[in-house]
């Protein structure tokens, strides 16, 4: 049976973990889902690593980043960490990140939910359906949180 | 018996280690607490690693970062290091950092103490109570050092 | 038999993976080519690692980076990750990246295709023909996506 | 018998290695001290790693960084490297760095010497006297190269 | 017999690899020299790792970095990678880098050649003569590519 990890934070202002769980349980109803909540983005790599240690086939992390330059530096560190968790374990960790300053506050919740849902679906595709499941969409300019940019062809 | 590590610095202008120890010993009175003091933030990853090597179940680090851009670069390096300690050991290291320029000097001590105390509590929650202990607070926009931002829902 | 991995993204606005496969299959017709499509650049290191785990002798990744500073931070993290995949496995991963803001939209598709094709050829050279296959071109100021800068001699 | 490593550079404009050795040999007269000189800061992580491989209990590195933004990027890379040497080996490497632009040229030599001496002492404290040797100074706002900032309490 | 690796790029506009080989073969005539040419700086860590895997005692890499901020981000990633190759293998990799914008085009070839030659000599010193071979020059403000800055003493 497939097992998915969902790691989210108390720093986030939107419950993206709940959205990710909804999508995964709808798309892959027989799978087991394990949730792990940590304070902030710098805690997500450890959560993801522990979820993979515990047998998850893939993980989605749901991070929220503040407005300051210091927050952005933390984002770099967390991103590097999440990538290393993946290459140490050879498993996918979908790194969903919302930046508090990427759009206005009204739209931010929508962006967060859309991004969480689309990447939860991406995770199921990669874990259950494998390396070619997204290939028909390669180069199509897909976006999460916003409208697709589309292909330049 | 649970064992917590508390790593702090002589560079810091507030004794955050003392605050963290107070909270941990109050929240988890039977636990053992080991303190490790180093000069500055770039020494914290080694301290955290050594504390975990010595059997700690989790560590809190209490860093203080100066005002210059060079200090911020050091912050990036230290943050990456602390994240790697976590993914190498699959243990949590709560990385508490105060930036000397994030607020005015009057408020800075309060920010430092509040942040140290709240993250010490987070550490106990994660180490003692596990991955779902913070889940009721997921997406709630919690902040350490300042007032909670709150949920956008 | 040689085996090449081609990792691309749905974020990209040009199907660079298709171009890379064309070049590799033309240059090294007996080789096996395995494709792996992921959402975005931060997923490429895991894809590359998994392709190498599955026996690829070398990999080409085809990333597309957005216009914002946050996209650039993600680029740094992904680049570090791709380099680590290489030094962990002692195999080459040709990291092809197109930045949405590096030229105007009309030229961008051409840049992407030229860069993908030239680096696919570089990958074949290194994997099949070895460390001295590119040596006659050392110091010649070659560019991918644009005209060669040429030698200063 | 304790063994300390001292790694310095030919790029530096002050012989900080000599100062560090003076302090260590005065503070811990029975200890063995091994010196390792490399061209610049990006060579210090390898020197530190080799010193630790050769049995040193701790290392002090004495780096000098130029004025340009490129020098600062090199500083980030070297800092990350020095931190990784520490977490790979679970040993301390005191990373002393002087930036050519942090003060005027008249003061720079003094800053370098003061910083090298104070951190050499810190290294002896940590290696010989252990994790609580600096604890009485935790939160005291100590500085190396400049006057102490002092505690905010 | 000593064995040196020389890794260079086709992106470079000066044949620095040739210069490095000249210096090494003159300074250490009995040594074996292995050359490895890759497209650009982000490929150098893999080349260096493969050269060390193949028995080289030390490596010199000769990178060339473009003018844009994106090139500089690539420089950070490549630098971190080269440092990790060194600490994973406990061998030296002299990282020679020329930035296209560090001086005017007339001087650039001279800078590149001078830097390559001086660091090739540094590599021989460290590999053949050991950790104290450069110690008489510690703190002397040596520069590669430009005139020495000199000591502040």
């Amino acid at each position: 049976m497939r097992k998915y990890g969902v790691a989210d934070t108390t720093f986030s202002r939107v419950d993206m973990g709940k959205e990710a769980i909804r999508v995964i349980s709808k798309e892959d109803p027989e799978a087991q889902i394990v949730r792990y909540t940590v304070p902030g983005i710098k805690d997500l790599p450890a959560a993801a690593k522990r979820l993979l240690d515990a047998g998850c086939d893939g993980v989605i992390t749901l991070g929220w980043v503040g407005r300051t330059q210091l927050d952005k530096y933390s984002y770099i560190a967390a991103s590097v960490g999440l990538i290393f968790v993946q290459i140490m374990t050879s498993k996918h960790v979908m790194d969903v990140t919302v930046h508090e300053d990427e759009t206005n506050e009204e739209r931010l919740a929508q962006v967060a939910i859309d991004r969480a849902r689309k990447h939860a679906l991406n995770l199921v595709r990669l874990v259950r359906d494998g390396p070619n499941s997204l290939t028909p969409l390669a180069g199509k300019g897909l976006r999460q949180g916003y409208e697709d940019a589309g292909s330049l062809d």
Side-chain angles (χ1 to χ4, degrees), chain A:
Chain A
M1 194 181 62
R2 276 175 300 278
K3 190 170 168 182
Y4 297 91
V6 176
D8 60 354
T9 73
T10 65
F11 187 92
S12 173
R13 302 182 65 188
V14 173
D15 190 348
M16 292 186 279
K18 189 177 64 182
E19 297 298 324
I21 289 170
R22 270 189 200 154
V23 170
I24 297 170
S25 58
K26 185 180 163 213
E27 289 293 319
D28 197 357
E30 290 161 38
Q32 187 185 349
I33 303 173
V34 188
R35 190 169 182 174
Y36 201 126
T37 306
V38 292
I41 50 164
K42 290 198 288 183
D43 307 303
L44 286 172
K49 179 62 163 39
R50 287 169 65 95
L51 285 165
L52 292 167
D53 287 350
C56 287
D57 301 294
V59 169
I60 185 167
T61 61
L62 303 141
W64 188 276
V65 180
R67 296 169 187 280
T68 71
Q69 185 59 36
L70 297 173
D71 294 312
K72 305 316 178 191
Y73 292 148
S74 299
Y75 169 68
I76 297 174
S79 298
V80 170
L82 288 170
I83 287 171
F84 271 76
V85 168
Q86 296 176 69
I87 62 184
M88 284 166 69
T89 60
S90 293
K91 298 262 170 65
H92 279 294
V93 176
M94 291 285 109
D95 168 4
V96 179
T97 308
V98 176
H99 291 269
E100 189 134 359
D101 53 331
E102 66 175 90
T103 185
N104 58 57
E105 203 163 279
E106 289 74 45
R107 285 209 54 193
L108 209 50
Q110 284 173 268
V111 166
I113 288 168
D114 183 68
R115 193 169 290 160
R117 296 181 67 86
K118 284 180 178 167
H119 275 311
L121 187 53
N122 281 331
L123 180 65
V124 172
R125 292 262 167 84
L126 287 175
V127 166
R128 187 190 57 197
D129 306 327
N132 293 122
S133 59
L134 295 172
T135 302
L137 301 169
K140 296 297 187 197
L142 302 194
R143 296 293 178 270
Q144 294 80 32
Y146 301 99
E147 288 197 13
D148 293 339
S151 171
L152 286 181
D153 300 337

